[in-house]
Amino acid sequence: MNVRVVAVDEATRIAAIIEDCRHLEGPMLPILHKVQAEFGYIPEGAKQIIAEALNLSRAEVHGVVTFYHDFKDHPAGRHTLKLCRAEACQSMGGDALAERAKAKLGLGWHETAADGSVTLEPVFCLGLCAQAPAAMFDGELYARLDEDCLNDIVAEVRA
C-alpha cells in the first residue's frame, strides 16, 4: 500500500480539526467530515494522524472512511453529478440515462474527469421515488430526469 506522507501544513490543519472535535462523544465522524470539508477529500496520511489522536488503528479509521460513500479518497471535480440507482429510478429509465451520462462524460462511477470538471457518483435514493428518475447536480435535485435535462447538465459541466 502506498501511504502518502502528509505535508507539515496539512498535518497542522488536520491536528487543529482533531483538537476542535476531540471533546465530542464519538469524535471520528465529525473529524472526518471537517477534514473532508477542509481538503475536499480525506488525504491518505490523515488516517494515521486521526488514528493516533483517537488511540485507534489506521485500519479502523480506513474502515470508517471506506464504509461511508460520501467520504472521498481523492479530490472531487468542480461539479458533482449524482444519479439515483434505486429501484424506482431504474424502473423509470434511470439505467439508460445513467449509461448515457457515463458515455457523454466519459466516466465510470466514482470517477472524476481528467480536467477536474466533474465527478460522477451513484446514489441509492434521493427521496424522489414518485418523480423518478432523479439526480442531484451540485446539491440541486432534479426530478423526472430526461435526455434534455441530462444534456443541459453536461453542457453546464463543459461550460
Side-chain angles (χ1 to χ4, degrees):
M1 169 176 268
N2 184 12
V3 177
R4 185 175 72 84
V5 175
V6 178
V8 173
D9 180 55
E10 197 173 272
T12 302
R13 290 160 57 197
I14 293 165
I17 290 168
I18 292 167
E19 281 308 308
D20 187 47
C21 297
R22 182 184 293 268
H23 70 282
L24 299 173
E25 186 173 332
M28 188 185 324
L29 285 176
I31 289 169
L32 291 171
H33 282 291
K34 285 188 174 196
V35 168
Q36 182 153 298
E38 177 77 14
F39 298 100
Y41 69 109
I42 308 293
E44 188 63 35
K47 295 175 188 175
Q48 186 63 41
I49 295 169
I50 295 167
E52 289 172 4
L54 300 180
N55 198 26
L56 300 169
S57 71
R58 187 198 153 285
E60 289 173 295
V61 177
H62 177 78
V64 171
V65 170
T66 57
F67 178 79
Y68 293 102
H69 297 290
D70 281 340
F71 291 129
K72 308 289 177 230
D73 63 359
H74 60 280
R78 291 182 301 282
H79 299 286
T80 301
L81 175 58
K82 295 182 179 186
L83 297 175
C84 184
R85 308 300 301 132
E87 291 81 1
C89 286
Q90 288 180 34
S91 72
M92 296 301 291
D95 283 341
L97 279 169
E99 290 307 312
R100 284 197 285 283
K102 287 165 43 176
K104 288 174 184 281
L105 297 170
L107 299 173
W109 298 122
H110 307 287
E111 291 184 352
T112 299
D115 65 359
S117 60
V118 65
T119 299
L120 182 61
E121 298 287 344
V123 63
F124 290 91
C125 191
L126 291 168
L128 296 172
C129 302
Q131 300 171 17
M136 181 182 284
F137 181 64
D138 291 344
E140 185 176 338
L141 291 169
Y142 290 80
R144 295 187 178 98
L145 186 69
D146 61 15
E147 188 76 28
D148 290 336
C149 186
L150 180 61
N151 289 338
D152 290 346
I153 290 170
V154 170
E156 187 169 337
V157 164
R158 294 189 176 142

